[in-house]
Amino acid sequence: VNRVANLALVSCACGAVAAAYTSTKERHPCVRSVCEAAEKGVKTLTAAAVSGAQPLLTRLEPQISTANELACKGLDKLEEKLPILQQPPERVTS
């Protein structure tokens, strides 16, 4: 997940979405209230899910590690075949 998030195109897209979200919250008070309530709910649910899932994640660690290794190998091949993924968005659009 970290490797995919660090790809230039993915990182830029995430940054653009985050900027649009923040800008929308700042400009529209009603939207801000709804977003803040949703954010609080997501944080609460995430905390509960993490604490509840931790024993399962510990038990499945070998399988998760294997899946991560296979995903990284697949990403290596994808990056090799599509070097554009490593290019900054400005260069891709030009």
Side-chain angles (χ1 to χ4, degrees), residues 54-90:
Q54 193 57 50
L56 179 62
L57 292 174
T58 301
R59 202 166 138 209
L60 293 176
E61 197 281 325
Q63 291 86 350
I64 293 170
S65 180
T66 300
N68 183 56
E69 188 177 317
L70 291 171
C72 286
K73 286 179 184 179
L75 186 56
D76 289 341
K77 288 181 182 179
L78 188 63
E79 288 174 327
E80 183 181 310
K81 292 187 186 282
L82 296 172
I84 196 169
L85 293 173
Q86 296 293 342
Q87 302 298 321
E90 305 81 33

Side-chain angles (χ1 to χ4, degrees), residues 13-73:
C14 289
V17 169
Y21 178 76
T22 301
S23 174
T24 300
K25 278 177 47 176
E26 289 172 356
R27 282 191 250 158
H28 303 284
C30 292
V31 173
R32 178 178 39 237
S33 298
V34 171
C35 289
E36 287 173 353
E39 290 168 13
K40 185 177 179 180
V42 167
K43 286 178 184 176
T44 302
L45 289 173
T46 301
V50 167
S51 65
Q54 193 57 50
L56 179 62
L57 292 174
T58 301
R59 202 166 138 209
L60 293 176
E61 197 281 325
Q63 291 86 350
I64 293 170
S65 180
T66 300
N68 183 56
E69 188 177 317
L70 291 171
C72 286
K73 286 179 184 179

